[in-house]
Amino acid sequence: MLTVKNKNGKPFKIFHGNDETFVPALTMGIDSAVGSTYNFMPQVFQKLLKLQDEGKKEELVAMQDNITAMFQTIFRFGFAVGALKPVMKIVSGLDLGPTRFPYKRMTQEDEEELTQ
């Protein structure tokens, strides 16, 4: 990432897109991030940015560990839209409709388990 950021002496903007590695990417100097979970928990990532600015490394790492654990729970039920649409409904109350093919739809039982 650092090699690309200043390729040929020209500064490139780096947009990071993997929520699970947001904190390590911050330490590498990303300029911005695009993540699927920012839709339903932007305040968490805003806090991570604040902690980075304040140099609070231990808190930063602890929060990233919690985010990673959350992803491990969510992705037990599928990946991407198949799991994140139901999470958005659970967290925000917004029903974004059924998951489209080729993503697997979560069963009602899976959604209930996810809420716990």
Side-chain angles (χ1 to χ4, degrees):
M1 188 180 308
L2 294 176
T3 302
V4 172
K5 191 161 175 73
N6 291 305
K7 186 80 171 164
N8 298 324
K10 297 178 184 176
F12 286 90
K13 298 282 186 196
I14 303 293
F15 287 73
H16 184 71
N18 186 323
D19 303 7
E20 300 93 320
T21 58
F22 182 76
V23 168
L26 276 179
T27 65
M28 298 294 288
I30 62 169
D31 297 290
S32 190
V34 181
S36 53
T37 61
Y38 305 166
N39 292 312
F40 57 83
M41 54 185 222
Q43 68 282 5
V44 171
F45 290 91
Q46 289 171 342
K47 173 132 189 189
L48 289 170
L49 289 169
K50 184 176 182 220
L51 291 171
Q52 171 75 6
D53 289 344
E54 294 171 352
K56 296 182 177 177
K57 184 180 175 185
E58 288 182 24
E59 289 180 57
L60 195 62
V61 171
M63 279 190 71
Q64 181 67 65
D65 284 345
N66 289 336
I67 292 167
T68 301
M70 179 202 69
F71 271 104
Q72 290 170 340
T73 299
I74 291 171
F75 292 150
R76 280 193 351 241
F77 299 97
F79 181 73
V81 178
L84 292 175
K85 272 191 167 190
V87 170
M88 182 69 144
K89 181 179 172 184
I90 292 164
V91 172
S92 71
L94 294 174
D95 186 347
L96 302 175
T99 304
R100 64 174 171 75
F101 181 80
Y103 298 109
K104 177 184 164 196
R105 285 188 188 181
M106 288 180 66
T107 65
Q108 185 64 35
E109 294 81 21
D110 286 344
E111 284 190 39
E112 288 170 7
E113 185 179 340
L114 189 59
T115 60
Q116 301 171 5

